[in-house]
Amino acid sequence: MTKYVLYKVKRLLTTPELIGWAILFVEFWVFMWFYVFGSDILSYKGMPYYEEVVKAYISVAYSSLSLITLGSVAIGITSGIFASSISVRYVTKFGRLSPRRFFLEDFISSTVVFVICVSIIILSAIGVGYMRYGVLVVPKNALGLFLTLLAFGAFSYLISINLGYLAILTKRPKLMNIFSMIPLILAFVSYGSVFTKLSDVFPYIYPFNALAGFVIYFSLGKIPPGSGYIQWLMMSYVHNQNVNTMNLRAALAAIVLWMVFLTITAIVLIRKSRGVSIEELRIA
């Protein structure tokens, strides 16, 4: 790998906007989840299911808050694709970096940033949750959780690169602000489903929910539903009632199909963008 990977990782992680919105803003909601929204959980202290409820709640908290972090990071990734489109053409044409190698390294560096930011939120949620409830959450399957975070990052990058090159094809940089917000909007749709029970097929057509479900699964070792996690938590752990859960194989198949589809569309958009001259981008 060239210095590009280290350069982009360092540049993104030191961007004030990313630090403010993807990390500090979400950290505020970490404390809100445990000290405001989850204050009633302390009333279960002493009950036989208290520890399990806390573990489930903390897992749901960091899986849902990770969505906001991913959406916030994706804003910077999407905007950066348009902003760097001119310089990238010069580098890949006159430098040692080929277009294929550039996109591979751009994918790796962006995914690394996604994973680092989400890991910060997960670790802080575990720490704050322990301070609040006195229960330490250790993921049941750390490797599975890590692979899910990589998939989360890869999926978010594919959405960003599609939107970035779509903006280039429109030749209207003013639309970039709208396009760059789409990943965060999609993340908030999934975040809202944490509190609302939607159709059982929702995670199979909306991969953000499927990925969030895998985060909970590898954290707890128990299969969650595709939405309505708070309701599932109360019904399963407190009231000991069965709730329809997500089909892991179908969810995994949906994630793979979405990633293949986004990869194909990204390749098509990148190839079409070569027809947009540097002069047109400058004028735009």
Side-chain angles (χ1 to χ4, degrees):
M1 299 299 171
T2 66
K3 294 180 180 179
Y4 177 78
V5 173
L6 294 176
Y7 165 76
K8 183 163 186 178
V9 170
K10 182 180 178 181
R11 183 180 66 83
L12 287 174
L13 291 178
T14 54
T15 303
E17 290 80 6
L18 185 144
I19 295 173
W21 290 108
I23 298 177
L24 297 181
F25 174 71
V26 182
E27 289 290 355
F28 166 76
W29 288 105
V30 168
F31 282 89
M32 290 291 288
W33 263 77
F34 298 129
Y35 285 91
V36 179
F37 306 148
S39 57
D40 292 342
I41 292 180
L42 289 172
S43 63
Y44 301 128
K45 201 166 187 177
M47 299 292 184
Y49 50 76
Y50 173 72
E51 186 172 330
E52 294 300 318
V53 169
V54 170
K55 289 182 178 180
Y57 184 77
I58 293 175
S59 299
V60 169
Y62 65 63
S63 70
S64 56
L65 291 172
S66 296
L67 293 166
I68 302 177
T69 295
L70 287 167
S72 300
V73 175
I75 292 175
I77 301 293
T78 306
S79 301
I81 290 171
F82 189 93
S84 63
S85 57
I86 295 177
S87 58
V88 166
R89 294 190 184 191
Y90 279 112
V91 170
T92 54
K93 185 175 183 179
F94 300 107
R96 300 181 188 178
L97 201 61
S98 65
R100 287 186 179 181
R101 188 170 180 180
F102 166 77
F103 287 113
L104 174 61
E105 297 196 12
D106 193 58
F107 167 77
I108 293 173
S109 56
S110 299
T111 303
V112 168
V113 172
F114 279 120
V115 172
I116 290 174
C117 291
V118 172
S119 297
I120 291 172
I121 300 304
I122 290 177
L123 292 174
S124 64
I126 292 174
V128 176
Y130 177 74
M131 289 190 298
R132 179 60 166 162
Y133 304 118
V135 177
L136 181 63
V137 175
V138 178
K140 294 288 186 181
N141 188 334
L143 177 59
L145 180 59
F146 177 71
L147 293 176
T148 303
L149 295 184
L150 287 178
F152 241 140
F155 183 75
S156 300
Y157 176 78
L158 288 172
I159 291 178
S160 297
I161 198 170
N162 272 276
L163 292 170
Y165 277 93
L166 186 61
I168 292 174
L169 287 174
T170 62
K171 305 174 188 177
R172 295 182 180 180
K174 292 182 179 179
L175 293 177
M176 194 65 252
N177 291 332
I178 298 175
F179 285 7
S180 63
M181 292 300 295
I182 291 176
L184 185 59
I185 294 172
L186 295 174
F188 266 109
V189 170
S190 186
Y191 181 81
S193 69
V194 172
F195 309 95
T196 306
K197 183 70 175 75
L198 301 177
S199 172
D200 289 339
V201 302
F202 188 69
Y204 314 126
I205 59 176
Y206 203 76
F208 275 113
N209 276 58
L211 287 164
F214 274 105
V215 171
I216 297 173
Y217 170 69
F218 288 122
S219 299
L220 291 176
K222 296 182 180 180
I223 304 175
S227 61
Y229 300 130
I230 300 299
Q231 180 185 358
W232 162 72
L233 188 155
M234 299 303 296
M235 296 293 287
S236 298
Y237 292 93
V238 178
H239 302 294
N240 199 25
Q241 296 182 11
N242 293 326
V243 176
N244 290 336
T245 56
M246 184 173 68
N247 185 312
L248 296 181
R249 290 185 178 180
L252 179 61
I255 293 169
V256 171
L257 288 174
W258 266 105
M259 293 183 74
V260 170
F261 170 75
L262 289 173
T263 301
I264 293 172
T265 55
I267 293 172
V268 172
L269 290 172
I270 291 170
R271 287 179 176 175
K272 285 184 174 293
S273 70
R274 294 174 182 172
V276 181
S277 66
I278 293 176
E279 287 73 20
E280 287 178 296
L281 290 175
R282 282 174 173 169
I283 295 173

